[in-house]
Amino acid sequence: MYLHSLTPPKLVKKKVKIEDSWYLQLKKEFDKDYWIKLSDLIRKNYRSKTIFPKPALLFNAFNSTPFEKIKIVIIGQDPYHGEGQANGLSFSVNSGIKIPPSLLNIYKELQEDLNIPVAKSGNLQAWADQGVLMLNSVLTVEKDKPNSHKDIGWEFFTERCIELISSKLDNVVFILWGKQAQALSKNIDNKKHLILTSVHPSPLSAHRGFFGSKPFSTANNYLKENGRKPINWLIK
């Protein structure tokens, strides 16, 4: 059974500007001490430093993929730290931006797995629109300082998101690349969901098990076996 009536009536005076079905699931988080401290710190950082992604894209993953629409979750580390790259979706960059090495390896595996040509654009919005939640463990980063917002509180939030998906939805595919993403497997019920793991697609590790892992066809086969529409992985 899938969750019914997740979308609430029109919500007013939301404490956080996030898609309605996600707000319904997460509203208790926004009253917790860690969130109050985190949001205050992030606001100060946006005012005093160059932080990515832009504030309007901070919750792009949630706004692009409503809670009840989730079919697949792909976990990233933190946003890209270069100018113009981060767009709020893990592994994704804005159109016109050079495709980062890890994403290029993802495309190469996709081509080997499903014979889908390597895309010229690195914008993965089309996946998010189909139900692929592209969530980073940490949602912000300071310019040119990778992992600069690690351990400031985002992990509490994203772990709670994973717990909610695991407990309230059925037959979701969790794709966990690398040790940091795999650490979240403790928050996932593997009796009702599929967990796919491999090394990270980074050039430093991709040849040690990412290439040849066939996550895209495996995920689609699982979705079809459970009566769910598969993902069209083609990026135009």
Side-chain angles (χ1 to χ4, degrees):
M1 293 291 291
Y2 296 106
L3 210 60
H4 297 291
S5 301
L6 276 171
T7 304
K10 187 175 181 180
L11 292 162
V12 295
K13 296 182 180 179
K14 290 195 289 188
K15 295 180 180 179
V16 175
K17 293 182 179 179
I18 195 171
E19 192 272 336
D20 282 356
S21 67
W22 275 108
Y23 189 82
L24 180 66
Q25 300 299 323
L26 293 167
K27 59 184 179 180
K28 291 182 180 179
E29 295 300 299
F30 303 139
D31 290 322
K32 293 182 179 179
D33 287 344
Y34 86 84
W35 179 264
I36 294 169
K37 292 176 182 176
L38 172 63
S39 57
D40 183 57
L41 177 60
I42 293 301
R43 280 193 293 268
K44 289 178 180 177
N45 271 265
Y46 270 119
R47 287 195 296 265
S48 61
K49 302 174 182 178
T50 301
I51 303 298
F52 300 132
K54 294 179 180 179
L57 294 173
L58 181 59
F59 295 116
N60 191 22
F62 302 93
N63 297 335
S64 298
T65 311
F67 190 83
E68 71 274 13
K69 301 289 187 182
I70 296 170
K71 297 178 180 178
I72 295 174
V73 181
I74 296 179
I75 306 293
Q77 183 171 284
D78 64 342
Y80 295 115
H81 55 86
E83 188 72 47
Q85 289 182 303
N87 63 12
L89 305 177
S90 62
F91 294 102
S92 177
V93 293
N94 290 317
S95 297
I97 300 295
K98 182 179 179 181
I99 297 174
S102 292
L103 179 55
L104 183 58
N105 283 341
I106 290 171
Y107 283 166
K108 289 178 179 178
E109 175 59 20
L110 180 58
Q111 182 177 43
E112 180 67 24
D113 186 5
L114 290 173
N115 199 31
I116 292 176
V118 173
K120 294 181 180 179
S121 170
N123 194 328
L124 304 180
Q125 185 68 44
W127 293 359
D129 292 341
Q130 296 178 75
V132 182
L133 179 67
M134 313 207 61
L135 182 64
N136 281 314
S137 299
V138 173
L139 300 191
T140 54
V141 69
E142 186 176 346
K143 181 181 178 181
D144 298 330
K145 294 183 179 181
N147 258 338
S148 52
H149 285 184
K150 187 176 184 292
D151 297 328
I152 67 170
W154 280 122
E155 291 88 348
F156 295 114
F157 179 71
T158 50
E159 282 191 18
R160 181 58 181 152
C161 293
I162 298 301
E163 289 172 351
L164 286 166
I165 296 167
S166 178
S167 64
K168 296 196 174 186
L169 298 177
D170 293 332
N171 306 129
V172 173
V173 182
F174 292 85
I175 298 179
L176 309 180
W177 292 324
K179 291 182 179 179
Q180 187 167 325
Q182 289 168 24
L184 290 168
S185 63
K186 69 180 185 296
N187 304 105
I188 304 168
D189 183 350
N190 62 8
K191 294 179 181 178
K192 57 187 294 199
H193 305 289
L194 177 64
I195 303 174
L196 302 178
T197 64
S198 80
V199 298
H200 195 274
S202 161
L204 296 174
S205 57
H207 290 279
R208 300 201 304 268
F210 174 75
F211 290 132
S213 60
K214 299 186 181 300
F216 307 102
S217 61
T218 304
N220 271 356
N221 287 338
Y222 178 83
L223 292 176
K224 288 186 285 188
E225 288 168 3
N226 287 280
R228 310 196 72 185
K229 185 178 179 180
I231 303 299
N232 177 3
W233 295 104
L234 177 67
I235 296 292
K236 296 180 180 179

